[in-house]
Amino acid sequence: MKPKTRAVVYNFLGFAILFLVLRFAFGYFFDISRFYLALAAAVSASFLAPKFGVVEGDGHAKIMMKWIFIKGFREI
């Protein structure tokens, strides 16, 4: 699998897992409509999810991760 494809898959998985967790958590604690629960979970998950990207250098590509809970970039 190419590094760019892996980065997209990692971005999707990070968002999807956080979205589902937040959607059910918000639904448990707040009594609002399903649309607003999904909207709040999507906004929160897009802010909290780690971001993956590909950096090309030295003849090969590296997958890097940035997250709000970790300072700087991490190599995957």
Side-chain angles (χ1 to χ4, degrees):
M1 190 181 307
K2 292 183 181 180
K4 289 184 182 182
T5 307
R6 287 179 55 200
V8 169
V9 170
Y10 291 160
N11 281 324
F12 174 73
L13 288 176
F15 175 82
I17 291 169
L18 276 174
F19 174 79
L20 290 174
V21 168
L22 291 172
R23 168 64 178 84
F24 290 118
F26 290 164
Y28 182 77
F29 290 111
F30 303 112
D31 187 26
I32 57 176
S33 72
R34 295 187 321 194
F35 174 75
Y36 292 117
L37 285 175
L39 183 65
V43 170
S44 301
S46 66
F47 178 71
L48 295 173
K51 310 298 188 274
F52 294 91
V54 176
V55 177
E56 297 193 24
D58 298 334
H60 64 282
K62 297 180 192 177
I63 298 178
M64 303 292 282
M65 177 189 77
K66 184 176 182 179
W67 201 15
I68 63 170
F69 300 114
I70 299 174
K71 186 176 181 178
F73 293 94
R74 302 283 181 192
E75 183 178 350
I76 301 294

